[in-house]
Structures are given as structure tokens and as C-alpha cells.
Amino acid sequence: MRALAEARTDEVLKMWENLGYYSRARNLHAAAKEIVARWGGRLPENRKNLLALSGIGEYTASAILSIAFALPVAAIDGNVSRVISRLFALPSPLGSPESRKQVLDLANHLLSKKHPGAFNQAIMDLGATVCTPRAPSCLSCPLQGLCKAKDLELQEQLPVTKKRPTLSRKHVT
């Protein structure tokens, strides 16, 4: 942590080269500096202090709390939302307040209290590799026997997504 905090910005960006999202490298660098300055180089163990760090939002704070500190907190990203939506055949469009609450409540209910970090990582990986947005690999899914979307043959239609408004095209000269 100290080495990162003490590094020059150009050195950090060079190490980050070809990973994309350079703002993430800048935020990581800024967060490392703050962690060293405020907490002696140790990550804070509470949501409020984590959220105060550059680049850390709800998902990252939850992931850190569950993985690094084994706290029973569900980490919800797009992959987890998709898995939970399909598992329970949720009818609400992803991203809607109703859907967010349902997904969070269900994820917290399912969460392993003994191994929350491993559980969160497993669900994230399942969504990234098996329960993909298109053409999910249901036959190789360890949850296929529990999945309501598969039972109802709705895995291709779920999760429901919000309809994006049609953009009008204007030609100007």
C-alpha cells in the first residue's frame, strides 16, 4: 500500500497501461494515499470510511467488506443481479428501484454468513461465465435445478431490461 501511495502518478499509469479505465488507476492511487495518511496503510473496516475513498462505491465497498473482512454483506454487480433475477424469475426491470431492493434482499438472504466473500465471488463468477447475458450455459450451471427462469424457459428473456427511448436522428449542416 505504501509503495503505491508513494509512487508518482505517471508510474502508476505506466503500470496500468493497456488495462483501460485509467480513471480507476488514478482513483486507486488517490485511495492508497488516503489509506496511508488516515489509517496507517490499513483498509478501513467499515462502509462509511470505505465509501469516502476515491473510486469506491457501494459495490466495491461491499466486496471489500465481505472478501477482506468476512463481513456478511452482499456485493451486487450486474452479474449478481442477472443470476438472482433468473434464479427467482423476477419480473421487475433491472435497475428499477423495485428490482434493486428485491435483488439486494434475496442476495442477503442467500449469502453465506460463514464465507460471505467466497459466496459473493462465486455468484459474480457464475454470472460472468455461465449465467451470461446472452446464451446462458444452463446445462452446466450448478443452480439449474433451483432456477425458476430455466423451469419456465425464460432464461433468454430474463432479466427484464428497461426499454431505452428511441433516439431521434437530426441531420444538420
Side-chain angles (χ1 to χ4, degrees):
M1 186 71 66
R2 288 190 193 285
L4 176 57
E6 293 169 0
R8 293 189 331 264
T9 302
D10 63 318
E11 292 175 311
V12 173
L13 294 175
K14 180 67 178 162
M15 296 299 291
W16 196 269
E17 202 169 62
N18 297 321
L19 294 175
Y21 300 108
Y22 287 91
S23 63
R24 289 183 180 175
R26 288 184 186 89
N27 285 331
L28 181 65
H29 191 217
K33 288 178 180 181
E34 190 167 348
I35 291 166
V36 168
R38 290 184 64 190
W39 294 289
R42 296 186 54 84
L43 268 173
E45 294 183 35
N46 68 62
R47 180 177 298 282
K48 180 183 170 204
N49 290 339
L50 284 170
L51 289 172
L53 295 169
S54 293
I56 295 191
E58 286 293 334
Y59 163 71
T60 303
S62 296
I64 290 169
L65 291 170
S66 69
I67 297 166
F69 301 112
L71 294 176
V73 180
I76 310 294
D77 69 352
N79 291 324
V80 173
S81 293
R82 185 172 49 259
V83 170
I84 299 289
S85 260
R86 286 181 177 154
L87 196 58
F88 293 95
L90 299 180
S92 303
L94 272 189
S96 69
E98 182 181 349
S99 172
R100 286 177 198 228
K101 182 174 177 3
Q102 285 179 312
V103 168
L104 181 61
D105 290 347
L106 289 166
N108 276 316
H109 178 73
L110 295 173
L111 185 70
S112 166
K113 304 306 183 229
K114 277 185 154 180
H115 306 288
F119 180 87
N120 280 329
Q121 289 180 78
I123 297 295
M124 287 182 239
D125 288 347
L126 184 68
T129 61
V130 177
C131 193
T132 54
R134 287 169 197 54
S137 304
C138 297
L139 295 177
S140 62
C141 180
L143 301 178
Q144 66 177 297
L146 304 171
C147 184
K148 289 186 181 176
K150 183 170 183 333
D151 286 347
L152 299 170
E153 297 181 7
L154 294 173
Q155 61 270 41
E156 292 285 346
Q157 289 80 33
L158 293 175
V160 174
T161 55
K162 289 182 185 177
K163 299 272 189 229
R164 293 182 188 214
T166 311
L167 298 177
S168 60
R169 290 189 137 188
K170 293 183 181 183
H171 296 280
V172 294
T173 54

